[in-house]
Amino acid sequence: EEKQAEALVLQVVAGAYVGGFKAVPTWFAEGVARNLVATTYKRGDERVSGWQSAIPIAMQKVDSARSLLDDRLDEEAAGLVGMALTNFMMNNRQRFDRLIKLLREGRSFNDAATFSFAPPETLVKTWLGKK
């Protein structure tokens, strides 16, 4: 129970921290927060396996990149899809670190993502394999 409480605090604090940067979408902030929980507490938080098994169901709600980018998903689906997408982004540590650095410097999410990866719509479309 103590590890679950720690994991929940990590999720809330990380999500608030990342979400506090300029124009950061909720899916990104929540996705980063859930990935931090998953990597830090993969065996100590039962939610992680639940999230991982629910991602395919949430992905079915994403009919296009715009549905994620225009915030048309419910909060849980956006968090799950964000977890999957930010995991992909975090696997390229150099680019992801650059994105976070630019956000810390005050750049908007769109500018930081474009400079570090690609324009958000292009990034999401490529990741989804959809137009």
Side-chain angles (χ1 to χ4, degrees):
E1 287 184 23
E2 185 177 321
K3 286 203 182 275
Q4 287 181 334
E6 289 174 9
L8 183 58
V9 169
L10 174 62
Q11 181 183 356
V12 171
V13 171
Y17 176 73
V18 174
F21 293 127
K22 187 176 180 182
V24 168
T26 302
W27 64 262
F28 181 79
E30 183 63 16
V32 169
R34 289 182 188 212
N35 273 299
L36 290 174
V37 170
T39 57
T40 307
Y41 295 97
K42 56 185 142 210
R43 291 193 177 97
D45 190 326
E46 296 172 1
R47 297 174 306 150
V48 173
S49 60
W51 291 338
Q52 291 169 336
S53 64
I55 287 173
I57 297 163
M59 293 297 296
Q60 292 175 2
K61 297 179 180 184
V62 183
D63 57 0
S64 70
R66 295 280 14 134
S67 61
L68 178 64
L69 297 172
D70 292 343
D71 201 25
R72 288 187 265 157
L73 301 178
D74 63 82
E75 189 175 315
E76 183 62 12
L80 292 166
V81 172
M83 181 180 182
L85 177 51
T86 57
N87 183 58
F88 165 77
M89 295 169 76
M90 292 168 88
N91 281 330
N92 189 327
R93 200 64 188 181
Q94 185 177 18
R95 287 178 181 223
F96 185 79
D97 288 349
R98 181 174 39 221
L99 184 145
I100 296 297
K101 179 180 181 284
L102 292 171
L103 290 173
R104 282 188 188 132
E105 292 173 357
R107 302 278 291 270
S108 71
F109 176 79
N110 283 346
D111 288 347
T114 299
F115 185 80
S116 302
F117 289 94
E121 187 166 8
T122 302
L123 174 66
V124 175
K125 282 181 180 180
T126 301
W127 176 72
L128 288 171
K130 296 182 179 184
K131 295 185 177 194

